[in-house]
Amino acid sequence: EAGVAQSPRYKIIEKRQSVAFWCNPISGHATLYWYQQILGQGPKLLIQFQNNGVVDDSQLPKDRFSAERLKGVDSTLKIQPAKLEDSAVYLCASSLGGLSVADTQYFGPGTRLTVL
Amino acid sequence: AQTVTQSQPEMSVQEAETVTLSCTYDTSESDYYLFWYKQPPSRQMILVIRQEAYKQQNATENRFSVNFQKAAKSFSLKISDSQLGDAAMYFCAYRGSNYKLTFGKGTLLTVNP
């Protein structure tokens, strides 16, 4: 079974530029998550999708971050414009159901973003 | 809000020895899951083991086992017969009724040959 795919693996941009990340979840997984992991910390949830609807985006900085999940499969996360403090690893995860305490999340390899 | 605390920023162990990583959490809920994830330098978070709060029996996966103390809100991970490939950052995580995964800050495990 193929895992969660993400691209690119690395991205370096100047502040105020735009950047987009792509995620392809495990086939059949209804729920998709985007996390931000700042160096030395655990991942922090940015947004959660159930199929193509948003379940939770309470910690997404909506003035600069946006995300979409077209057709309930692939997802893109965009930052526009980027700030220095956005430098982090962006992790995508997926799970089979979502709205269950027992649901287990499986993570992709992440994208390391450096904002100069 | 739930919090997860990992009090050991770094740990080291000799190859073939046993090491225990600590995790405590704060919650008022009775139904929840606890997880240990491993993150090697490749950055991919890998699920190591999970424990349902209602189960009294401690979860075990090969060389990995947990010591779940519900009353004390403690969830430690024991790695037996440590191998070089076990070297990674280990994160403890909590999932409760809001379905969010809340992570601790992680423990960096070094395995010495």
Side-chain angles (χ1 to χ4, degrees):
Chain A
E1 174 181 274
V4 177
Q6 289 188 248
S7 67
R9 293 296 308 276
Y10 303 89
K11 190 72 176 179
I12 300 174
I13 61 173
E14 301 276 338
K15 61 182 179 182
R16 290 187 290 273
Q17 285 187 324
S18 301
V19 64
F21 312 126
W22 173 82
C23 173
N24 179 246
I26 293 173
S27 177
H29 280 196
T31 310
L32 185 147
Y33 312 79
W34 282 103
Y35 289 87
Q36 180 191 58
Q37 185 178 18
I38 293 173
L39 185 65
Q41 298 183 19
K44 181 187 80 171
L45 180 68
L46 292 175
I47 189 167
Q48 176 182 346
F49 292 94
Q50 183 77 8
N51 295 310
N52 58 354
V54 176
V55 173
D56 185 344
D57 63 356
S58 58
Q59 298 195 84
L60 186 74
K62 299 181 185 66
D63 57 334
R64 298 182 300 105
F65 286 65
S66 64
E68 60 180 5
R69 189 181 185 195
L70 299 176
K71 300 180 181 178
V73 182
D74 291 5
S75 177
T76 56
L77 175 70
K78 297 179 182 178
I79 307 175
Q80 180 180 351
K83 292 186 176 181
L84 296 177
E85 58 261 36
D86 297 333
S87 294
V89 174
Y90 291 85
L91 296 167
C92 180
S94 70
S95 64
L96 197 58
L99 297 184
S100 163
V101 176
D103 201 41
T104 296
Q105 297 180 27
Y106 298 89
F107 286 79
T111 297
R112 181 181 296 279
L113 173 67
T114 302
V115 182
L116 304 176
Chain B
Q2 290 82 20
T3 58
V4 177
T5 302
Q6 294 180 248
S7 59
Q8 306 153 316
E10 297 183 27
M11 291 283 285
S12 64
V13 63
Q14 290 297 124
E15 197 175 2
E17 297 293 311
T18 296
V19 64
T20 298
L21 308 183
S22 301
C23 173
T24 59
Y25 57 95
D26 185 28
T27 185
S28 58
E29 299 179 327
S30 58
D31 184 20
Y32 52 88
Y33 268 78
L34 296 164
F35 304 83
W36 278 99
Y37 279 91
K38 169 185 176 182
Q39 189 177 40
S42 65
R43 302 197 304 269
Q44 185 145 11
M45 299 277 278
I46 302 165
L47 178 66
V48 175
I49 197 165
R50 70 177 199 174
Q51 173 81 41
E52 182 179 3
Y54 270 110
K55 288 189 176 178
Q56 293 186 344
Q57 186 174 7
N58 289 324
T60 299
E61 291 286 344
N62 300 313
R63 299 182 294 106
F64 299 87
S65 61
V66 299
N67 183 5
F68 174 48
Q69 302 288 328
K70 190 172 184 179
K73 296 179 183 174
S74 170
F75 182 61
S76 61
L77 174 70
K78 186 171 83 170
I79 306 174
S80 303
D81 185 26
S82 296
Q83 300 175 0
L84 295 177
D86 295 333
M89 184 73 84
Y90 285 81
F91 290 95
C92 177
Y94 170 101
R95 191 174 202 211
S97 61
N98 66 2
Y99 311 117
K100 286 184 181 179
L101 261 185
T102 300
F103 287 87
K105 288 192 173 183
T107 297
L108 180 62
L109 177 66
T110 303
V111 181
N112 301 309

